[in-house]
């Protein structure tokens, strides 16, 4: 079940809710009981761009051939 980040505009608290995607846009209530909340963008989208540079070399060098030096 995906998790969604919300921020309360009444007290400024941020909180996380796990809910079905069908309810992603439903209003969320702050843990303090406030109803003036906004849904934040997923952190997955933010880290995706930065992780692309670090993740690329791993599958390229993961083969068994180059490990033995036959490709060098
Ligand atoms: Zn609040």
């Amino acid at each position: 079940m995906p998790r969604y980040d919300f921020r309360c505009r009444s007290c400024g608290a941020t909180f996380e809710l796990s809910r079905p995607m069908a309810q992603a846009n439903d209003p969320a209530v702050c843990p303090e009981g406030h109803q003036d909340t906004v849904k934040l963008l997923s952190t997955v989208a933010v880290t995706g761009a930065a992780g692309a540079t670090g993740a690329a070399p791993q599958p390229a060098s993961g083969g068994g051939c180059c490990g033995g030096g036959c490709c060098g």
Side-chain angles (χ1 to χ4, degrees), residues 8 11 30 32 34:
C8 177
C11 67
C30 168
E32 300 297 330
H34 307 129

Side-chain angles (χ1 to χ4, degrees), residues 12-64:
T14 56
F15 56 99
E16 192 174 80
L17 291 179
S18 296
R19 51 168 49 179
M21 291 185 68
Q23 300 176 12
N25 292 321
D26 285 6
V29 179
C30 168
E32 300 297 330
H34 307 129
Q35 296 185 6
D36 188 9
T37 59
V38 292
K39 187 161 71 71
L40 303 177
L41 291 176
S42 173
T43 54
V44 176
V46 177
T47 57
T53 55
Q58 291 179 354
S61 61

